[in-house]
């Protein structure tokens, strides 16, 4: 793959969610990523999170297979893992072991609660990680918090933060620093995403309750409204000039209430409102479903989505002025590149056969 990260080599210890997302980001932008698979992992066919890298399947209960990981890490710039704290150490593949052989290695770790702290060894999922940040309390209708999809903790607070930290630490290595360990906790990352809310609250501009604030549905000109056809329209007219355009388009007096706006929007279909407001600064957009989104003219023009083996998925982002990111390669079969990877590491034919047939050589 071509991209600004071309030349970097990353080892990804197979996992779910934020680790694969971070590895996908790095691979999309040019890094060479080798995914070390574990047989029998839960997954989906042609998973977009697994695109753009080679795959080798290893049984890490065997010393011979753990040695493969050590050899990979010795020649790599970075490694990503998302196991519970202590698992890699028990395998003899922890940071101390791998950085001893490769002092320039950036060792990226992503977990829900982090490597240290009272909850470090506790099980959890996205909803739990964002629950302790204060952010989940603010999501949803007045009467109770809503159950969000796992974008905020797993992907924004975990995967994106890890990818950013990996690039930051790799840049430091290129400037002469040693490798280091990244402790990316989804709870920490999700909390950071909420910096704006904490700032507004400290300034007295945010109430600690739902649907009572500018950006949570409490403001009539910033919210979601049901249209005549049962579909929805998003409205984001915060600034005065945008509110003016909205009220003008709705034929309502400035300062109209939520109920006033809802009644007018309910009189037409979603797409009729989109056509009505086209070319204005009313800050409206249709709420599209997953089938509609790839077909939206703006998304088509920007190539926001691509079709890989019948799976519509987001394309690599963002765009660069001087680098054209190549079309991603579809996910490989589990272990598809094992022979080639082992040969590149210097293993002989008999050793390769033994490793891949799960027999000690």
């Amino acid at each position: 793959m071509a991209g600004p990260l071309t030349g970097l080599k990353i080892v990804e210890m197979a996992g779910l969610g934020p680790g694969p997302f971070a590895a996908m980001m790095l691979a999309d932008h040019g890094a060479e990523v080798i995914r070390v698979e574990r047989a029998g992992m839960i997954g989906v066919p042609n998973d977009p999170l697994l695109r753009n890298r080679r795959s080798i399947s290893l049984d890490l209960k065997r010393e011979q297979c753990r040695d493969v990981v050590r050899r990979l890490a010795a020649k790599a710039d970075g490694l990503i893992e998302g196991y519970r704290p202590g698992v890699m150490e028990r395998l003899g593949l922890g940071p101390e072991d791998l950085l001893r052989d490769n002092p320039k290695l950036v060792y990226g770790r992503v977990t829900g609660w982090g490597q240290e702290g009272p909850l470090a060894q506790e099980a959890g999922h996205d909803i739990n990680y964002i629950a302790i940040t204060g952010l989940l309390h603010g999501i949803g209708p007045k009467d109770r918090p809503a159950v969000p999809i796992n974008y905020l903790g797993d992907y924004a607070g975990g995967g994106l933060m890890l990818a950013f930290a990996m690039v930051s630490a790799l840049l430091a290595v290129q400037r002469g620093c040693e490798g280091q360990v990244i402790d990316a906790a989804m709870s920490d990352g999700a909390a950071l995403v909420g910096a704006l809310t904490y700032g507004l609250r400290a300034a007295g501009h945010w109430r600690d309750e739902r649907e009572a604030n500018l950006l949570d549905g409490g403001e009539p000109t910033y919210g979601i409204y049901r249209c005549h056809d049962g579909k929805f329209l998003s409205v984001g007219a915060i600034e005065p000039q945008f509110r003016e355009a909205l009220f003008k388009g709705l034929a309502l007096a400035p300062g109209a209430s939520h109920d006033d706006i809802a009644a007018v929007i309910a009189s037409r279909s979603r797409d009729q409102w989109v056509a009505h407001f086209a070319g204005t600064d009313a800050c409206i957009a249709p709420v599209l479903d997953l089938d509609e989104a790839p077909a939206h003219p703006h998304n088509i023009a920007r190539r926001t989505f691509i079709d890989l083996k019948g799976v519509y998925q987001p394309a690599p982002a963002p765009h660069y002025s001087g680098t054209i990111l190549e079309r991603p390669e579809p996910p490989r079969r589990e272990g598809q590149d094992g022979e080639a990877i082992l040969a590149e590491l210097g293993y002989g034919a008999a050793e390769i056969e033994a490793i891949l047939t799960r027999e000690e050589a």
Side-chain angles (χ1 to χ4, degrees):
M1 292 296 295
L5 300 183
T6 297
L8 292 175
K9 296 184 178 181
I10 307 294
V11 177
E12 174 199 3
M13 306 302 294
L16 301 174
F21 187 83
M24 180 196 73
M25 290 289 295
L26 297 174
D28 280 353
H29 295 263
E32 177 189 346
V33 180
I34 293 176
R35 180 173 165 90
V36 178
E37 302 275 6
R38 293 178 292 160
M41 283 195 63
I42 300 172
V44 296
N46 296 324
D47 185 351
L49 295 181
L50 304 186
R51 68 193 186 196
N52 269 347
R53 54 249 213 214
R54 295 194 293 166
S55 169
I56 182 172
S57 184
L58 297 172
D59 179 2
L60 297 183
K61 296 178 182 178
R62 297 168 51 206
E63 177 61 27
Q64 190 178 28
C65 292
R66 294 194 294 272
D67 183 65
V68 174
V69 176
R70 295 187 189 100
R71 291 202 198 184
L72 284 169
K75 295 184 176 182
D77 298 289
L79 179 143
I80 290 173
E81 63 98 354
Y83 301 153
R84 281 200 195 187
V87 170
M88 288 290 278
E89 282 82 354
R90 289 193 290 275
L91 291 170
L93 301 174
E96 288 189 9
D97 300 293
L98 299 189
L99 269 77
R100 185 184 305 115
D101 295 332
N102 182 1
K104 296 294 185 181
L105 184 71
V106 173
Y107 195 112
R109 321 190 83 169
V110 60
T111 57
W113 306 114
Q115 297 296 315
E116 299 176 347
L119 297 176
Q121 291 294 337
E122 298 292 325
H125 276 294
D126 180 286
I127 196 169
N128 310 122
Y129 309 141
I130 68 172
I132 70 165
T133 67
L135 302 192
L136 181 58
H137 177 75
I139 299 173
K142 291 181 180 180
D143 63 329
R144 60 177 295 172
V147 179
I149 299 176
N150 61 329
Y151 302 137
L152 183 55
D154 282 354
Y155 297 104
L160 277 175
M161 292 292 179
L162 177 60
F164 172 78
M166 291 292 293
V167 172
S168 298
L170 290 164
L171 180 60
V173 169
Q174 290 187 353
R175 292 177 172 173
C177 297
E178 293 292 289
Q180 57 184 305
V181 181
I182 297 167
D183 178 4
M186 290 176 242
S187 55
D188 294 345
L192 181 59
V193 172
L196 170 66
T197 308
Y198 275 96
L200 290 172
R201 183 172 181 269
H205 300 313
W206 191 273
R207 295 165 59 185
D208 202 11
E209 54 186 284
R210 290 171 297 282
E211 292 189 332
N213 302 285
L214 178 64
L215 301 174
D216 67 354
E219 169 57 50
T221 60
Y222 194 93
I224 299 169
Y225 290 90
R226 184 186 294 271
C227 302
H228 183 70
D229 56 359
K231 297 180 179 180
F232 294 91
L233 192 72
S234 69
V235 177
I238 297 177
E239 291 81 3
Q241 68 274 26
F242 301 152
R243 294 187 186 203
E244 181 180 354
L246 175 67
F247 289 131
K248 180 179 179 181
L250 295 174
L252 288 172
S257 69
H258 184 282
D259 289 342
D260 294 333
I261 296 173
V264 174
I265 291 179
S267 67
R268 300 186 189 181
S269 72
R270 182 196 68 185
D271 293 345
Q272 285 175 326
W273 281 119
V274 171
H276 175 74
F277 280 107
T280 73
D281 283 340
C283 299
I284 68 97
V287 178
L288 303 179
D289 63 30
L290 298 182
D291 286 326
E292 295 174 306
H296 189 278
H298 184 79
N299 291 334
I300 292 174
R302 290 190 57 82
R303 298 181 177 87
T304 303
F305 293 90
I306 54 175
D307 181 352
L308 290 184
K309 297 185 71 173
V311 179
Y312 272 102
Q313 57 194 269
H319 299 177
Y320 298 92
S321 65
T323 303
I324 303 298
L325 299 181
E326 294 181 0
R327 180 180 177 82
E329 295 181 359
R332 315 281 278 179
R333 295 193 319 274
E334 179 187 308
Q336 179 175 341
D337 308 288
E339 288 188 23
I341 291 170
L342 292 172
E344 291 168 9
L345 292 174
Y347 287 95
E351 293 174 302
I352 293 174
E353 182 178 2
I355 291 169
L356 298 183
T357 55
R358 306 184 187 282
E359 299 175 1
E360 291 288 352

